[in-house]
Amino acid sequence: QVQLVESGGGLVQAGGSLRLSCAASVSGFSINVMGWYRQAPGKQREMVAIIITGGRTNYADSVKGRFTISRDNTKNTVDLQMNSLKPEDTAVYFCNADMIKYGGNRYVAWGQGTQVTVSS
């Protein structure tokens, strides 16, 4: 059983900050990578930031220096601190977990999404 629940989205003015949180409830899986993706209207879903178990991170060029991803492996939570927000950051943000079922197959889970709207 897998459930990812996001929180922290909302409306913010350009230059402001938001912190997104995602809590993964899993049974029988080992999570390898957690991350945040986003999809803006009329655009493809894109990776925003990912973090693996060992702490290595990767960011989209558009958010480097502004966003920070963090993870608590013991709690299976991942956060995204978003600073200096821009209108182009407006999108639905999805939490992602890439995991392996114990002794079995790879499985990718997604949260329901949380809306981030940045006004000019």
Side-chain angles (χ1 to χ4, degrees):
Q1 301 293 332
V2 178
Q3 184 177 20
L4 275 60
V5 180
E6 303 107 330
S7 62
L11 175 65
V12 66
Q13 292 184 340
S17 298
L18 286 173
R19 187 177 183 89
L20 305 183
S21 297
C22 174
S25 299
V26 301
S27 297
F29 292 88
S30 176
I31 300 177
N32 182 32
V33 181
M34 299 190 76
W36 289 94
Y37 293 70
R38 68 186 181 187
Q39 187 165 19
K43 295 186 177 181
Q44 295 183 209
R45 181 188 294 175
E46 65 173 340
M47 185 273 289
V48 177
I50 60 172
I51 182 167
I52 63 175
T53 302
R56 197 171 194 270
T57 60
N58 192 25
Y59 296 90
D61 288 341
S62 60
V63 307
K64 287 180 180 177
R66 300 188 297 120
F67 292 9
T68 302
I69 190 169
S70 59
R71 176 178 178 178
D72 187 331
N73 293 329
T74 63
K75 298 179 180 179
N76 286 332
T77 59
V78 60
D79 290 357
L80 185 69
Q81 178 66 44
M82 304 185 294
N83 298 325
S84 301
L85 283 162
K86 304 175 180 179
E88 50 263 44
D89 294 318
T90 296
V92 177
Y93 284 70
F94 297 91
C95 179
N96 168 269
D98 193 325
M99 64 196 76
I100 299 293
K101 186 177 188 299
Y102 294 145
N105 300 322
R106 177 174 179 249
Y107 184 79
V108 179
W110 296 91
Q112 80 285 352
T114 185
Q115 177 70 47
V116 172
T117 302
V118 184
S119 63
S120 300

